[in-house]
Amino acid sequence: MLPACVRSIGKTSPSNVKALGFLTGAKSSYATEVKFDTKPYRLHKLDQAPASTATLTKDDAIQYYTQMHTIRRMETSAGNLYKEKIIRGFCHLYSGQEAVAVGIKAALRPHDAVITAYRAHGWTHLMGVNHIGVLAELTGRQSGCARGKGGSMHMYCKNFYGGNGIVGAQVPLGVGIALGLKYQGTDGVCVALYGDGAANQGQVFEVYNMAKLWNLPCIFVCENNGYGMGTSAERASANTDYYTRGDYVPGLWVDGMDVLTVREAARYAVDFCASGKGPILLETATYRYSGHSMSDPGTSYRTRDEIQEVRQTRDPITSFKEKITSCNLVSAEELKKIDGQIKSAVDEATKVAKTDAEIGVEELTTDICANNLEPSIRNCSPFNSLPHQRLGPAVNL
């Protein structure tokens, strides 16, 4: 008899199942494809929900596990570097929220865009920056993805418009990116992520309206981790059903601790926007283990017991690990090997981030734009002083 979590394996013929070892009890054979039930969704102005089941291949299982575990390991390293005063300024960690980024990224196409807030290290890595590029940027070194100029809150790469330091400001920018994609005539979409605290910013409501008026391909993603800076969502928002707050923008509530549920919701959202139906709003219910930033211990407005309970019962990495190993999709030995490889890669990147050189002061004025299409505007350039202009005669008032 098949395990309860399995809905189909390959073609699911009796011979195929037996060959995989489920009927014989053999431990040396593993499934190559398994179906899991997704977590329930809540809908706002939508007639149909995303898929209630998610098919997971072994390759995808390994990829998602590797990505989530890598983000967790990198954030742990970042936290240690900050405590050692090697990372200075601000540092906002993503630990606990990995399933949101990994699940959404799994649904995106190469020509889709992403913009997020300052909790951006994990997204930066998923969008193509390697371990050294992220960690060296955090320490302000030349190997960083922005050559050390951006730091924790300003990282960029192709189709990734960075983390943004102003609360909620990335949401209007994301709508502008979506407008650009529509203007170019592609079916690309832009994912604009923000937190439950930023959801109360006035500019967010303004661009809900604009995106719906113009039917722009923007996926608004509210990462509701339960707390803003020093206070709970319930104390900051009269309406904590964030997926309904777009008014005429359709919304979807998603369990943000389950990577497969997030992936199916993101696939649904991408198809929705790419088909010309306009924007959609996803609320992903997730949790952050650290404080709002490194200056916030995160325990003055919530208990340590609460954090520990989430770690034990809802952690996105350990729950996914149990899911894929219990159904014989991936072996514990394989995951242990992956863990070791991730640790080695992050440890090596951490060494580079500590020892690499900083750029010289002569480069402070470089990297202002990728392609300067207007080097001179009204005979002025950034490198020349304003020309003196003859003014009219003074008027005595």
Side-chain angles (χ1 to χ4, degrees):
M1 187 173 180
L2 292 176
C5 61
V6 180
R7 296 292 178 268
S8 66
I9 308 163
K11 296 181 179 179
T12 65
S13 64
S15 59
N16 186 33
V17 173
K18 187 173 182 179
L20 290 169
F22 281 115
L23 299 185
T24 63
K27 294 183 179 180
S28 59
S29 299
Y30 288 87
T32 57
E33 187 176 282
V34 178
K35 266 189 180 176
F36 298 95
D37 291 332
T38 58
K39 299 294 178 65
Y41 306 98
R42 301 175 197 164
L43 309 182
H44 170 68
K45 292 189 180 296
L46 289 169
D47 298 325
Q48 185 177 359
S52 59
T53 60
T55 301
L56 182 65
T57 66
K58 179 173 181 175
D59 288 344
D60 284 345
I62 291 174
Q63 177 180 327
Y64 303 160
Y65 178 82
T66 301
Q67 290 174 331
M68 288 194 292
H69 193 84
T70 298
I71 295 172
R72 180 72 59 86
R73 175 71 66 172
M74 288 172 59
E75 293 295 60
T76 299
S77 177
N80 292 333
L81 288 169
Y82 192 92
K83 292 170 185 175
E84 296 174 38
K85 297 186 178 180
I86 298 174
I87 293 176
R88 308 304 292 263
F90 295 97
C91 186
H92 304 80
L93 303 181
Y94 203 64
S95 301
Q97 300 181 211
E98 298 88 353
V100 177
V102 173
I104 293 175
K105 180 62 173 68
L108 298 182
R109 292 93 38 97
H111 57 293
D112 293 328
V114 175
I115 188 168
T116 188
Y118 34 68
R119 213 176 297 280
H121 312 156
W123 265 111
T124 306
H125 177 64
L126 291 179
M127 293 300 287
V129 177
N130 61 23
H131 311 80
I132 294 175
V134 173
L135 292 174
E137 187 60 36
L138 291 173
T139 57
R141 310 303 172 109
Q142 63 182 5
S143 296
C145 60
R147 294 185 55 74
K149 296 181 177 183
S152 175
M153 294 197 288
H154 304 95
M155 300 181 178
Y156 311 93
C157 61
K158 184 177 181 181
N159 289 335
F160 179 59
Y161 293 83
N164 292 261
I166 301 174
V167 177
Q170 73 280 5
V171 188
L173 293 175
V175 173
I177 295 166
L179 174 62
L181 292 170
K182 184 174 182 177
Y183 186 78
Q184 292 168 10
T186 74
D187 70 341
V189 306
C190 180
V191 178
L193 299 106
Y194 55 99
D196 50 283
N200 297 320
Q201 291 288 317
Q203 58 197 324
V204 174
F205 293 91
E206 292 178 34
V207 291
Y208 286 160
N209 182 57
M210 295 172 70
K212 184 59 181 174
L213 275 174
W214 299 340
N215 271 341
L216 299 180
C218 186
I219 303 174
F220 298 100
V221 179
C222 177
E223 294 184 278
N224 181 4
N225 57 29
Y227 298 92
M229 187 172 181
T231 191
S232 65
E234 289 75 13
R235 293 182 63 193
S237 300
N239 177 11
T240 56
D241 291 331
Y242 295 98
Y243 69 103
T244 69
R245 291 173 66 172
D247 194 5
Y248 285 97
V249 176
L252 188 64
W253 182 95
V254 185
D255 187 332
M257 303 298 267
D258 185 277
V259 67
L260 294 182
T261 301
V262 174
R263 186 193 71 180
E264 294 308 308
R267 284 177 174 174
Y268 177 96
V270 169
D271 290 342
F272 186 94
C273 289
S275 63
K277 296 178 182 177
I280 190 170
L281 198 166
L282 269 59
E283 177 189 346
T284 57
T286 183
Y287 198 84
R288 60 168 166 80
Y289 294 148
S290 303
H292 173 77
S293 66
M294 295 301 292
S295 61
D296 169 25
T299 53
S300 59
Y301 48 87
R302 59 180 179 175
T303 65
R304 296 183 186 275
D305 290 340
E306 177 185 306
I307 301 170
Q308 191 61 28
E309 181 184 2
V310 176
R311 283 185 177 273
Q312 293 175 351
T313 61
R314 297 175 55 209
D315 184 81
I317 300 175
T318 56
S319 60
F320 187 68
K321 180 179 180 179
E322 292 171 2
K323 184 178 291 186
I324 60 179
T325 54
S326 65
C327 289
N328 286 348
L329 193 59
V330 184
S331 70
E333 291 75 19
E334 288 175 292
L335 296 183
K336 185 176 180 180
K337 182 179 179 180
I338 292 171
D339 293 347
Q341 293 170 341
I342 293 171
K343 182 179 184 301
S344 297
V346 174
D347 287 350
E348 181 60 32
T350 303
K351 291 179 183 177
V352 174
K354 288 182 175 181
T355 59
D356 194 27
E358 298 180 1
I359 60 172
V361 293
E362 69 277 1
E363 291 197 46
L364 290 179
T365 58
T366 62
D367 304 318
I368 302 301
C369 55
N371 182 18
N372 188 3
L373 299 177
E374 294 183 309
S376 177
I377 301 176
R378 295 184 181 180
N379 297 321
C380 299
S381 78
F383 306 101
N384 298 322
S385 59
L386 290 172
H388 294 288
Q389 296 182 359
R390 182 177 177 82
L391 301 178
V395 178
N396 294 323
L397 299 177

